[in-house]
Amino acid sequence: MKKALTLCLALVVVFACGEAREKELHVLNWSDYFAPDTITNFEKEFDCRVTIDYIESTETLRLKLAKPPSGYDVVFPSDEVVQVLISGGQLDPLDRTKIANFGNLDPRFRGLPFDPENRYTVPYMWGTTGLAMNVSKVDPVPDSWAVLWDPKYEGRVTLLDDSRDAMAAAMFVNGDDPHAPTAESIARARDKLATCRPRAWISSVKDMLVSGDAWICQAFNGDAMQAGEAEERAGDIAFVIPKEGGFTWFDNMAIAKGAPHPDLAHAFIDYLLRPEVSAAISNEVCYANPNLAARPLIDKAQIEDPTIYPDEETMGRCRVLVEPPEALKPLLIKAWAEVKAR
Ligand code: N2P
C-alpha cells in the first residue's frame, strides 16, 4: 500500500512538472512583429508565459539554432535559411493535425519552394527590402542605393545588420549582381561598404527613423510604414524600391529541434493563424499577410497600399535573395567581419 501510494505521489509530481514545463513558451522572432496584445491574449487563453528573444538578422537566427536543442520553441526563419535549417536538422517537423488553421492560408503561399509540403514551416508575413527615408530631410527622394554613400547624408544613414542585405546594396551600386555573387564581387562589395559611414548597422530601424536620428535606412517595408505612423513623423516617411532592384522575402513560423514545449508551440502557431489574430498583427505591423481568411479583417487602406502589397512593376524589380553557394560562404563571412570591424 505504502509502495503504491509513493508511486502515485511520484506520478502526480512528474505529471505536475510536465504541466508546469508546458506553461512556458520560448519564442525567437524579429522585433516589431506582433500586435501589442498578441502575446498577452495568448498567455491569458493558454494560461502560460511567453518569453521572446529578438533577432536582427538571419545570421543571428542561424547561430542561435546552430546546436540543438536551442531551448526555443517557435522560431521565425526567413525563406533564405529554411532549407539550411531543415537539412541541418535544426527544425522539428510540424504535426499538422495540431494546426487546423493552416487551411486559412492563401494557397499561393503554401508549398513555397523552400518547403514544398510545409512539413516544417508555415508562412507568417512577407515583405520587401528597400530604402526608408524621412522626406523632410531628404530631398530629392533618391531612387538608387547609391544614396547610402552620398556625403550629404553621412552619419544619417543606416544599413541592415545582415551581411547578405548590406553586401547586396553595395553590389548593386558596384554594378554587380547580388543574386550571382562571385569572389570578386564580394571583395568589391566589402571595399565599397568600407567607404560607407552609417550611423548604425541595424535592422530594427523604426525608432531611429521616428527619433530623427536616421534619415535614410536600408529597411523592411513594414518597419518604414510603422515609423510613418508615429505621430512625430506623420507624412514624413517614404519607402522606395531603388531602380537597381530590391528584395522580397517570406517569413515563416517553425518549431526548433527539440523544442521544450512542442504542444504549446503548435498551439501558438495555430493561434497566430486565426483570422482575427493574424489580421490584428498585420494591421499593426504593416506587412503583407498570406492568411486569406484574415484578409476581410485587414484595414482596406493597407490592402490598397502599394508599399505593403506592391504592384506588378515593383514586384518585378524585387527578387528573393537565395543562399550563396557553399564555396562562397566563408568569403562572405570574412568580408562581413572585416566591414563590421572598421
Ligand atoms: C519585422 C522584420 C521583418 C523581418 N520588423 C524581415 N525578414
Side-chain angles (χ1 to χ4, degrees):
M1 177 69 186
K2 208 171 157 198
K3 251 192 191 158
L5 248 179
T6 316
L7 186 67
C8 267
L9 208 66
L11 278 176
V12 166
V13 170
V14 167
F15 183 70
C17 287
E19 279 291 290
R21 274 204 301 275
E22 280 297 312
K23 294 293 176 190
E24 270 180 45
L25 186 76
H26 299 149
V27 173
L28 183 63
N29 196 4
W30 301 82
S31 51
D32 304 316
Y33 224 13
F34 290 127
D37 59 1
T38 309
I39 298 301
T40 44
N41 287 347
F42 181 80
E43 286 178 327
K44 265 186 232 148
E45 184 175 333
F46 289 83
D47 187 24
C48 66
R49 197 165 64 89
V50 178
T51 54
I52 310 179
D53 280 349
Y54 296 99
I55 42 167
E56 278 280 321
S57 66
T58 287
E59 278 114 285
T60 329
L61 175 128
R62 197 195 299 255
L63 284 174
K64 287 190 184 266
L65 302 186
K67 290 197 179 74
S70 58
Y72 290 110
D73 293 300
V74 179
V75 298
F76 288 72
S78 305
D79 49 89
E80 64 174 302
V81 75
V82 168
Q83 278 184 339
V84 177
L85 296 180
I86 295 174
S87 57
Q90 284 143 348
L91 299 179
D92 270 337
L94 299 170
D95 180 349
R96 287 266 291 284
T97 63
K98 294 180 179 160
I99 310 178
N101 289 324
F102 182 83
N104 291 342
L105 287 163
D106 187 333
R108 289 183 306 144
F109 292 93
R110 301 187 204 171
L112 293 177
F114 49 82
D115 187 13
E117 287 164 37
N118 291 106
R119 286 194 59 222
Y120 293 88
T121 60
V122 172
Y124 181 62
M125 298 283 160
W126 65 273
T128 57
T129 304
L131 288 171
M133 66 204 71
N134 180 339
V135 293
S136 72
K137 303 284 186 194
V138 179
D139 187 37
V141 169
D143 66 351
S144 166
W145 290 107
V147 73
L148 295 170
W149 282 264
D150 187 334
K152 219 166 58 179
Y153 300 121
E154 195 174 295
R156 291 291 181 182
V157 305
T158 68
L159 280 89
L160 292 176
D161 192 12
D162 183 307
S163 63
R164 285 316 301 291
D165 290 293
M167 302 279 276
M171 286 180 187
F172 270 138
V173 176
N174 287 341
D176 288 322
D177 180 359
H179 300 286
T182 61
E184 294 73 31
S185 72
I186 291 171
R188 278 193 289 273
R190 174 203 60 204
D191 295 346
K192 183 74 186 169
L193 285 177
T195 67
C196 191
R197 300 270 168 272
R199 180 140 201 131
W201 305 94
I202 184 168
S203 301
S204 44
V205 298
K206 182 173 90 174
D207 292 347
M208 290 192 92
L209 274 172
V210 172
S211 67
D213 282 343
W215 297 348
I216 309 178
C217 305
Q218 184 183 30
F220 308 124
N221 55 345
D223 290 10
M225 298 281 300
Q226 290 179 46
E229 281 183 357
E231 232 173 87
E232 315 82 301
R233 283 289 152 251
D236 278 355
I237 305 294
F239 180 82
V240 299
I241 298 295
K243 60 178 184 217
E244 299 91 349
F247 309 104
T248 324
W249 42 260
F250 300 88
D251 286 341
N252 306 278
M253 304 178 259
I255 298 188
K257 178 85 190 169
H261 316 101
D263 283 342
L264 204 52
H266 282 90
F268 187 59
I269 293 176
D270 198 47
Y271 163 85
L272 293 176
L273 288 171
R274 288 182 193 172
E276 66 284 5
V277 174
S278 180
I281 295 172
S282 51
N283 284 339
E284 176 74 24
V285 303
C286 310
Y287 283 103
N289 193 328
N291 189 322
L292 204 53
R295 208 161 166 101
L297 305 172
I298 296 175
D299 294 341
K300 200 158 162 270
Q302 282 206 4
I303 304 268
E304 288 167 358
D305 192 326
T307 299
I308 304 178
Y309 295 91
D311 56 32
E312 252 174 67
E313 185 276 324
T314 313
M315 282 306 274
R317 287 188 294 118
C318 291
R319 276 174 62 192
V320 169
L321 259 181
V322 295
E323 275 276 305
E326 279 307 312
L328 292 180
K329 283 187 188 172
L331 293 184
L332 266 169
I333 292 170
K334 187 161 174 280
W336 181 241
E338 284 166 9
V339 169
K340 293 292 295 285
R342 292 180 83 90

